[in-house]
Amino acid sequence: MHMLKERGDRQILPSEITPQTVYRDRRRLLQGLGLALTGTALAGPASAQTSARPGKLPALAATRSPLPGALTMEKTTPYNDASTYNNFYEFGTDKADPARYAGTLKPRPWTVAVEGEVKKPGNYDLDALLKLSAMEERIYRLRCVEGWSMVIPWVGWSLAELIKRVEPTGNAKFVQFVTLADRAQMPGLNSSVLEWPYVEGLRIDEAMHPLTLLAFGMYGEVLPNQNGAPLRLVVPWKYGFKSGKSIVKIRFVDKQPKTSWEEAAASEYGFYSNVNPKVDHPRWSQATERRIGEDGLFTKKRPTLMFNGYEAQVGQLYAGMDLKKFY
Ligand code: MTE
C-alpha cells in the first residue's frame, strides 16, 4: 500500500521507499510467478476472466440512495481506471496485479460467518445477503492513504441493516472484518508482505453509521474480483484500506481488534485511519491527492478534505477525541 510517494515532481520507485524485507519479498513473489520486476507496474492486458470491461458482469439493480452525503456530484472515475488500479495484496502488490490475477477468485458459492457478541450468530449465504435489504447506489469518494482518490458508484446497503438483524450484545464495542485467505485462489498469499488473512476493524458506532456500506457491486454490476467480489466494505470517510475486500467473517468483539496494517506498521497506520489532511503519514503529507483517471502526474494535486468530505455526516462520531493521537 505504502509503495508510491512523490518528492517534488519526481516519482519514487517502490524499491526506494518500501522496507527492504517487503521489497525483497515482493521480488521473490514476482519471480515465483515467473515475472520480471519492471518498476511500479507490469505491462500487459488484464486476464480474460477479470477484463475491466463494463457490461461483462451481471447487472445489479439499485435505486439511488436518499441518504445525505451518499451521492457526491463529482465526476465518476472511468470503470476501466477503477478496476485496473487496485490494492488487493492477496493478488500481488502492484496496482495492476489484482486485475491481472484475481481471475482465480471464486466469488460463488460464498458464505459470511457472523460471530462473537451477537444474539443471532450464523452463516449467511451470499444469495440471502443479496436479498437482505434494498440495494442502493451510493457515489462515494475513496481516498487511498497513498495520496490518490477515485469516485465510484457503489451498489449495496448499509452494514447497519445486517448488524441490527444479528442483535449485538452490550459487549459488542467493535466489529472485526476478516477477508478470504485461500492460497488456491490468491497467489499473493505466498508473500509475507502482510499477515493473512487481511483483517480490519471499526468501532460499533462507525460500523452502524448509515454511510458505512456493504457493497456487492459497482457501476450497476456485481463487483469485479479485483474490487473485492463478492462483497466488501466501503467506509467513505476513512482511508481505503479500512474497506476490506472479499469478506468471509464479521466478528463482534469487546476490545479494539488488531488490524492488518497496524500489525504491519503501527506507527504508520492507526486503528481509526480517518482521512485527516492535517495528520501526515510519517513518510509523506496527506494534505493533497490526485484523482485517478483525471489528474496527470504534473497536474496540481487537489486538497484533501477532512473526513474525505463527509465531515457533516460523521464528524460527531469523534467529538472530543484528539484526532492526532487517534490517527
Ligand atoms: N482488502 C483486502 N482483502 N486486501 C487488500 O489488500 N487493500 C485495501 C482495501 N481493501 C486491500 C483490501 C486498500 S489499501 C485500498 S486503497 C482499497 O481496498 C482499494 O479498493 P479499490 O480496489 O476498490 O480501489
Side-chain angles (χ1 to χ4, degrees):
M1 178 168 66
H2 42 249
M3 296 290 175
L4 201 75
K5 181 189 177 219
E6 277 176 28
R7 201 181 292 145
D9 284 342
R10 192 169 77 83
Q11 192 103 26
I12 308 294
L13 292 174
S15 56
E16 294 175 74
I17 61 167
T18 308
Q20 277 295 304
T21 44
V22 172
Y23 178 65
R24 275 198 223 104
D25 191 68
R26 176 168 164 262
R27 181 178 282 272
R28 269 201 303 276
L29 163 74
L30 295 171
Q31 281 166 349
L33 292 167
L35 297 164
L37 191 65
T38 58
T40 52
L42 297 164
S47 85
Q49 283 144 299
T50 58
S51 160
R53 183 158 53 83
K56 195 169 187 292
L57 295 168
L60 194 56
T63 52
R64 304 207 112 193
S65 177
L67 277 179
L71 296 169
T72 172
M73 298 303 284
E74 285 178 271
K75 201 168 134 212
T76 54
T77 302
Y79 183 96
N80 188 56
D81 290 314
S83 58
T84 57
Y85 192 87
N86 303 104
N87 279 334
F88 199 167
Y89 276 20
E90 289 86 335
F91 295 101
T93 52
D94 276 320
K95 299 284 179 273
D97 285 345
R100 189 173 289 115
Y101 302 121
T104 46
L105 176 72
K106 291 193 200 73
R108 259 173 205 272
W110 195 276
T111 308
V112 178
V114 177
E115 56 181 50
E117 293 290 344
V118 285
K119 290 189 194 130
K120 294 182 176 164
N123 292 315
Y124 283 79
D125 184 70
L126 178 65
D127 289 312
L129 284 172
L130 285 166
K131 289 188 220 123
L132 189 132
S133 191
M135 290 287 172
E136 286 184 10
E137 180 171 71
R138 311 249 182 110
I139 307 178
Y140 284 166
R141 281 178 290 272
L142 182 139
R143 206 282 194 188
C144 183
V145 75
E146 293 164 329
W148 50 267
S149 61
M150 301 193 194
V151 176
I152 297 182
W154 302 102
V155 179
W157 36 257
S158 298
L159 176 67
E161 297 297 333
L162 175 63
I163 298 182
K164 280 184 235 153
R165 279 175 174 79
V166 299
E167 298 181 26
T169 69
N171 294 331
K173 308 280 188 234
F174 295 89
V175 190
Q176 189 183 40
F177 302 90
V178 183
T179 73
L180 183 71
D182 179 1
R183 275 171 201 277
Q185 300 180 55
M186 301 173 134
L189 296 189
N190 293 323
S191 153
S192 52
V193 64
L194 285 176
E195 273 183 38
W196 313 111
Y198 187 104
V199 283
E200 257 309 334
L202 294 174
R203 220 168 54 189
I204 186 90
D205 57 342
E206 297 176 321
M208 286 292 290
H209 193 281
L211 286 182
T212 299
L213 185 73
L214 197 58
F216 300 87
M218 59 185 221
Y219 300 81
E221 298 177 1
V222 301
L223 286 170
N225 289 354
Q226 60 269 33
N227 288 79
L231 79 166
R232 64 171 293 171
L233 211 59
V234 188
V235 192
W237 69 95
K238 291 181 182 274
Y239 290 118
F241 64 91
K242 298 298 286 184
S243 298
K245 295 174 167 182
S246 306
I247 294 168
V248 290
K249 195 174 286 180
I250 303 178
R251 193 182 281 142
F252 291 75
V253 291
D254 59 348
K255 294 199 180 59
Q256 184 177 303
K258 273 273 182 217
T259 69
S260 288
W261 283 105
E262 268 185 296
E263 292 278 6
S267 61
E268 303 194 0
Y269 308 108
F271 177 81
Y272 281 91
S273 304
N274 289 320
V275 174
N276 186 343
K278 294 190 204 109
V279 177
D280 288 343
H281 182 280
R283 291 184 282 138
W284 60 83
S285 160
Q286 293 290 16
T288 58
E289 67 198 60
R290 171 166 293 119
R291 187 63 46 85
I292 297 298
E294 273 181 61
D295 301 348
L297 203 54
F298 301 107
T299 312
K300 195 167 176 287
K301 291 194 189 177
R302 52 186 86 205
T304 284
L305 303 174
M306 188 64 196
F307 294 114
N308 202 22
Y310 299 92
E311 186 167 15
Q313 289 80 31
V314 304
Q316 77 283 359
L317 292 178
Y318 310 101
M321 277 178 78
D322 178 351
L323 295 179
K324 287 208 162 108
K325 189 169 166 215
F326 298 99
Y327 59 89

